[in-house]
Amino acid sequence: MEDNRIEIRCVGCGKLLGRVPGDTNTTIEIKCAKCKTIHTYKIGNEDRQGGLK
């Protein structure tokens, strides 16, 4: 079985923050527990799905 998941890593320290299914199309904001920074991640391809809603 293929594991079609996207890893979300901290931009500052590289810590793995989570994994989401590959077909997910969303924007998520996560705070890293290690370096305490907050980043916003756009996940998925907006053009293919018609944009975020």
Side-chain angles (χ1 to χ4, degrees), residues 4 14 19 21-24 40 46:
N4 187 19
R19 294 184 180 136
D23 59 350
T24 301
T40 302
E46 297 93 32

Side-chain angles (χ1 to χ4, degrees), residues 6 20-27 41-53:
I6 298 170
V20 295
D23 59 350
T24 301
N25 189 19
T26 189
T27 301
Y41 300 87
K42 288 184 181 177
I43 302 168
N45 186 350
E46 297 93 32
D47 296 333
R48 183 184 67 199
Q49 297 294 331
L52 296 174
K53 296 184 180 185

